[in-house]
Amino acid sequence: MDFTYTETQDMIRDTLARFLGDTYDFETRQKFINSDSGRDPAIWTALAQELGMLGAPFAEEYGGLGGGALENAIVMEELGKVIGIEPYLPTVVIAGGALKAVGGAQADAMIPEIIAGNAIIAFAYAEPQGRYDLANLRTTARKDGSGYVLSGHKSVVYAAPWATHLLVTARTGGNARDRDGVSLFLIDVNLTGIVRRDYPTVDGNRASEIYFENVAISGDALLGGEGTGLPLIEQIVDEATVAVCAEATGVMQKLHEGTLEYTQQRKQFGVPIAKFQVLQHRMVDMFMEVEQARSMTIMGTLKLELPANERMAAVSAAKAKVARGANFVGQNAIQTHGGIGITQELAIGHYFKRATMIESQFGSHDYHMDRYERIVLAD
Amino acid sequence: MDMEFSPEDLAFQQEVRDFIAENYPAELREKQDEGEEMSKEDFLVWHKILHKKGWIAPAWPVEYGGTGWTPTQRFIWSEETARADCIRLMPFGLAMVGPVIYTFGTPEQKAHFLPRILSGEDWWCQGYSEPGSGSDLASLRTTAIADGDDYIVNGQKTWTTLAQHADWGFFLVRTDKDAKQQEGISFLLIDMKSPGITVRPIITLGGEHEVNEVWLEDVRVPQSQRVYDENKGWTCAKFLLAHERTGIAGVAASKRGIEKVKAIARTEVDGDKPLLANAFFKRKVAELEVDLAALEFTELRSLAGANAGRGPGPESSLLKIKGSEIQQRLTELSLEAVGHYGAPYFRGFGEGDNEHPIGPDYAHRAAPTYFNMRKTTIYGGSNEIQRNIIAKMVLGL
């Protein structure tokens, strides 16, 4: 048992923090998220080619840094600190995680493209009727010769407007919500019949509604077994969920620090408002939520390797706790700032918006408490 | 970073399990299961077994009688003793004054007191709070006035836990009335059999005699029983409080507590199902487990920091706040779970009392424990004071 980071992990954190400190100040971020494309592609290229950061969780034989989930968590926390919109989560954590799990020729072909910064992969899994149930799918992939024909509607696909590829969940058999019959496909974003409606999200990202209108895809787009994809999808979504917890930790830390700083400058009744005990104790409560989010992220990350039930219980415990904490820290950061907190002017409100979207990403507090109870407190 | 136990750790875990299974006294187990109040001898029997084995003070440096265990082994030890529901060791000597003596004491003090703490020969109590000095501890007014090689001590202490059993007490006393509050305090070791000491019981909400008033009237204390410099007692007090706070997280014991609550809620019936199947009750149990996991990993991170050469710092206040809140929620859930049978007043088993108390065994102490555990957010520096400490020491406010 060991709760310290390795030198390499410290180095990844320091290198990334320095890079983001130089390139990702709030004004610059606001400029590019409000541009037509909504991003600065040079940052992604630099993350890949100057820092090698997109290889953090991949084995050295692919050209990666040889890390895993802990390295993903480090990168996500640093991105959280600058409310970064770089598509590391869907591309590296989720698609990269799926490719690592299936291995073989698909991994050999695609992982180097991810590491080089050439591929951006969006994760098209949510559907309008599905909420957080990964098996509740109406999108179908009908067998057609050696390939498939994809039809359906995917909701709020983050990073899709920037993507080169889509990672898609679809039903190859069974009825809606069956565990059997779910498959995972990695496809080119430009295939005929893919219709996208792109839009900005409230947290500064870009996303799309995606409609598959009888899209012909080849048989080798299938990742893993046909109809047996759900365990793999659950695994990569769990990996993504703790990665989002790590991001939340970074976001929450900045919300807390920003509030500390502001209360020491803002004067009312002739003194900095940080002198008031009622605010001091609230900021202590915020601090404790940040620390516990960090602890739960580590807990969830370390338990990703356990058998599925233990993994899911741990990830749900982590996400439930972090969701509550993000809510508490975000709302209290705004409250403590007062009127200025509800303007677009200060960074604090933008951190709050990202924290709020993280609350329900990959499942709300209630969803994860339900899942935790089904596993741990079964009758 | 990883959570794996090495083969050596697993072997150690087995060794600990075997040792507890073979050596934990059956009579003590029976008394615990029936919810009886523990006597001084009950507390000491397990202490003495551990002392004989050399496992009484895992947290101490080896030179003073520690076990030299790795942090992982210490983690395994606390997990296993809680899992087996071993009686809690009294912290006053082992976790409080012991570390103060080996950190600040003279060679003579170390040689005399430390072995007696380890063996359980001396039972210690803590003379800190006074009627007028609770959260504002540094305002304490008990005085020690130099008289030759001695001090003459006068004053009143209160909330002194189990002083009725104590052989020795460690006291904060004022040795300089004119200095700034914290700077005029000294740390004295006082023989509780000294003439002029009177111990009076305070009965708390659960009906227990756990705490006391201690009156000191012209008590003569040799100056050689002062730890560290005169007027530097506050340094010892702060050190001790930080030490006290880490143990106070009580993670392993709370894990065991949750298992007990679950067992009750599987036995108690709500409609046609066990209480644990009630969605509202189940959610409260689940929330508690999640919060306990957060506390556990926060403590593990803090221990990793301590292992890297940082002592328990002000962040241990977080462990105290969250740990005590969880302990209280546990007792609240137990009381809720037992339903009607929370109400009958349980007097314990008197001499020759053969009648079984009312209600199931697990219900006897539910209400008294709930009442009693309100103390956890008040003692050891109230949770409000802990927030002040974090605000000042961690947040820099």
Side-chain angles (χ1 to χ4, degrees):
Chain A
M1 201 167 65
D2 173 21
F3 281 84
T4 52
Y5 288 101
T6 63
E7 265 176 49
T8 313
Q9 289 165 344
D10 285 337
M11 195 196 68
I12 289 175
R13 184 188 297 282
D14 293 347
T15 308
L16 184 55
R18 212 170 314 122
F19 172 77
L20 294 173
D22 292 342
T23 55
Y24 234 102
D25 62 279
F26 177 64
E27 283 71 30
T28 309
R29 174 193 186 268
Q30 292 316 92
K31 223 168 272 162
F32 64 69
I33 70 167
N34 291 315
S35 70
D36 285 346
S37 73
R39 66 190 281 253
D40 176 1
I43 293 176
W44 187 251
T45 304
L47 280 173
Q49 291 167 11
E50 287 172 31
L51 279 72
M53 209 47 78
L54 305 187
F58 298 113
E60 280 152 22
E61 66 224 50
Y62 294 118
L65 300 180
L70 277 166
E71 284 71 11
N72 276 339
I74 291 168
V75 173
M76 290 297 292
E77 185 179 339
E78 292 308 314
L79 284 172
K81 288 179 189 168
V82 296
I83 27 177
I85 53 136
E86 304 309 309
Y88 187 90
L89 179 74
T91 304
V92 179
V93 178
I94 298 175
L99 288 162
K100 272 166 74 170
V102 299
Q106 291 162 315
D108 291 346
M110 210 55 204
I111 290 177
E113 291 297 297
I114 294 175
I115 295 173
N118 298 330
I120 290 178
I121 308 173
F123 185 34
Y125 72 106
E127 298 189 4
Q129 81 292 343
R131 290 193 75 77
Y132 310 116
D133 181 352
L134 300 170
N136 189 336
L137 298 175
R138 289 187 187 159
T139 299
T140 56
R142 181 170 47 79
K143 192 90 183 161
D144 184 38
S146 64
Y148 299 87
V149 174
L150 199 59
S151 304
H153 170 195
K154 290 292 182 180
S155 310
V156 199
V157 184
Y158 268 62
W162 308 324
T164 57
H165 296 77
L166 299 173
L167 185 67
V168 185
T169 62
R171 206 157 262 298
T172 44
N175 298 310
R177 303 184 62 198
D178 282 355
R179 284 192 62 82
D180 288 335
V182 178
S183 302
L184 185 64
F185 298 93
L186 181 60
I187 60 174
D188 193 290
V189 76
N190 292 318
L191 296 178
T192 309
I194 297 180
V195 178
R196 277 197 347 251
R197 189 175 161 203
D198 300 344
Y199 49 86
T201 60
V202 294
D203 54 8
N205 282 267
R206 296 291 167 103
S208 310
E209 296 299 290
I210 298 184
Y211 304 90
F212 298 111
E213 295 175 352
N214 297 316
V215 180
I217 58 178
S218 68
D220 59 11
L222 178 70
L223 290 189
E226 184 189 285
T228 57
L230 192 61
L232 170 63
I233 295 165
E234 287 172 336
Q235 181 193 322
I236 58 174
V237 169
D238 278 347
E239 289 167 6
T241 306
V242 290
V244 160
C245 290
E247 182 190 356
T249 305
V251 172
M252 290 162 71
Q253 183 183 322
K254 285 295 177 179
L255 282 163
H256 180 241
E257 286 174 3
T259 306
L260 268 180
E261 216 169 283
Y262 180 76
T263 56
Q264 286 167 305
Q265 289 160 6
R266 170 74 174 170
K267 285 188 179 169
Q268 289 290 274
F269 306 102
V271 292
I273 60 174
K275 293 284 170 211
F276 299 125
Q277 195 176 42
V278 70
L279 295 189
Q280 291 184 353
H281 283 199
R282 189 175 306 167
M283 289 189 283
V284 169
D285 289 339
M286 291 165 74
F287 163 78
M288 292 195 291
E289 290 302 327
V290 177
E291 288 305 310
Q292 291 181 98
R294 183 165 283 125
S295 301
M296 287 306 245
T297 299
I298 289 173
M299 189 276 291
T301 307
L302 293 178
K303 291 192 175 183
L304 282 174
E305 300 293 321
L306 296 180
N309 262 1
E310 289 171 66
R311 180 197 76 216
M312 289 192 217
V315 170
S316 281
K319 184 66 198 328
K321 183 75 183 166
V322 170
R324 275 280 166 86
N327 179 285
F328 180 84
V329 172
Q331 291 184 353
N332 279 297
I334 299 305
Q335 175 67 21
T336 309
H337 276 75
I340 195 73
I342 58 170
T343 66
Q344 296 270 21
E345 203 175 305
L346 257 57
I348 203 84
H350 299 267
Y351 282 91
F352 173 52
K353 288 196 273 185
R354 180 61 194 139
T356 304
M357 291 305 106
I358 287 176
E359 272 184 61
S360 59
Q361 197 170 359
F362 301 117
S364 62
H365 172 268
D366 285 353
Y367 168 83
H368 281 288
M369 289 308 296
D370 281 343
R371 191 173 83 152
Y372 179 89
E373 288 172 5
R374 280 202 304 278
I375 298 166
V376 178
L377 293 171
D379 303 341
Chain B
M1 201 179 283
D2 68 75
M3 297 189 52
E4 309 294 311
F5 287 154
S6 67
E8 295 76 31
D9 291 333
L10 290 170
F12 175 76
Q13 185 183 47
Q14 194 56 50
E15 186 189 354
V16 168
R17 284 184 185 173
D18 292 344
F19 177 78
I20 295 171
E22 285 159 25
N23 292 283
Y24 199 77
E27 317 80 67
L28 189 58
R29 165 83 57 232
E30 200 175 313
K31 265 184 114 168
Q32 283 173 268
D33 289 346
E34 293 192 347
E36 282 192 71
E37 212 168 330
M38 295 293 154
S39 68
K40 181 175 181 177
E41 290 67 36
D42 292 329
F43 281 119
L44 282 171
V45 57
W46 180 230
H47 182 120
K48 287 182 174 161
I49 291 167
L50 291 177
H51 174 244
K52 203 171 140 213
K53 176 75 176 168
W55 285 359
I56 190 62
W60 288 24
V62 176
E63 54 180 315
Y64 299 121
T67 51
W69 289 341
T70 63
T72 305
Q73 286 177 312
R74 281 165 59 183
F75 173 78
I76 290 171
W77 172 249
S78 61
E79 285 273 303
E80 293 301 323
T81 48
R83 224 170 59 96
D85 206 14
C86 297
I87 194 169
R88 180 171 171 255
L89 297 171
M90 284 296 113
F92 310 106
L94 291 169
M96 298 165 93
V97 76
V100 168
I101 292 174
Y102 67 63
T103 305
F104 298 100
T106 63
E108 294 74 26
Q109 287 167 344
K110 292 179 194 175
H112 179 75
F113 289 110
L114 296 180
R116 297 164 68 94
I117 291 170
L118 295 172
S119 69
E121 188 171 351
D122 290 339
W123 182 296
W124 283 84
C125 66
Q126 180 186 34
Y128 270 36
S129 294
E130 297 182 4
S133 303
S135 287
D136 183 12
L137 182 59
S139 71
L140 61 91
R141 293 192 306 185
T142 295
T143 55
I145 293 166
D147 182 48
D149 291 338
D150 297 336
Y151 289 112
I152 306 294
V153 181
N154 278 286
Q156 186 198 344
K157 295 290 178 179
T158 191
W159 315 126
T160 317
T161 302
L162 298 180
Q164 70 267 36
H165 301 327
D167 304 296
W168 283 82
F170 52 96
F171 286 78
L172 290 181
V173 297
R174 187 158 300 289
T175 36
D176 184 350
K177 275 188 174 167
D178 303 322
K180 250 178 60 185
Q181 276 196 346
Q182 283 90 337
E183 288 162 17
I185 292 171
S186 297
F187 192 99
L188 294 189
L189 311 178
I190 302 182
D191 185 342
M192 292 299 283
K193 289 180 289 295
S194 308
I197 292 187
T198 310
V199 176
R200 291 181 191 154
I202 301 172
I203 304 302
T204 44
L205 293 176
E208 310 89 344
H209 173 199
E210 190 174 55
V211 290
N212 301 274
E213 293 177 338
V214 175
W215 298 73
L216 302 108
E217 213 176 333
D218 292 330
V219 179
R220 189 165 281 276
V221 180
Q223 292 202 15
S224 61
Q225 286 167 209
R226 187 192 67 235
V227 178
Y228 204 40
D229 298 343
E230 191 171 74
N231 300 326
K232 289 280 170 62
W234 195 248
T235 306
C236 303
K238 276 196 301 188
F239 169 86
L240 186 153
L241 277 172
H243 258 263
E244 185 186 359
R245 266 176 234 135
T246 45
I248 245 164
V251 170
S254 288
K255 277 190 189 172
R256 171 75 191 156
I258 286 185
E259 292 312 313
K260 285 185 181 173
V261 168
K262 285 201 247 181
I264 296 172
R266 287 200 177 96
T267 309
E268 287 287 326
V269 176
D270 177 52
D272 54 357
K273 287 191 191 134
L275 176 62
L276 195 56
N278 175 305
F280 297 98
F281 192 86
K282 179 158 51 175
R283 180 57 49 95
K284 281 186 268 194
V285 173
E287 297 270 13
L288 196 53
E289 287 192 350
V290 167
D291 285 345
L292 183 55
L295 179 68
E296 178 179 18
F297 277 76
T298 305
E299 187 176 42
L300 289 170
R301 286 174 50 219
S302 160
L303 290 176
N307 196 30
R310 292 189 286 119
E315 72 275 8
S316 59
S317 291
L318 189 166
L319 302 176
K320 197 272 170 169
I321 293 171
K322 292 296 163 189
S324 56
E325 287 174 356
I326 285 170
Q327 287 162 20
Q328 291 187 340
R329 282 161 64 195
L330 262 173
T331 64
E332 195 171 350
L333 278 183
S334 295
L335 179 58
E336 184 180 338
V338 302
H340 295 301
Y341 283 111
Y345 181 58
F346 174 58
R347 287 187 189 79
F349 298 91
E351 286 291 321
D353 186 353
N354 291 323
E355 231 178 323
H356 198 273
I358 309 292
D361 281 352
Y362 58 66
H364 297 159
R365 296 206 66 79
T369 305
Y370 168 74
F371 295 136
N372 182 278
M373 291 299 273
R374 302 316 296 169
K375 71 189 175 189
T376 62
T377 47
I378 300 167
Y379 67 30
S382 73
N383 286 16
E384 289 73 21
I385 291 294
Q386 303 299 344
R387 283 181 170 82
N388 288 350
I389 292 171
I390 294 175
K392 188 170 168 204
M393 308 298 289
V394 183
L395 307 188
L397 296 175

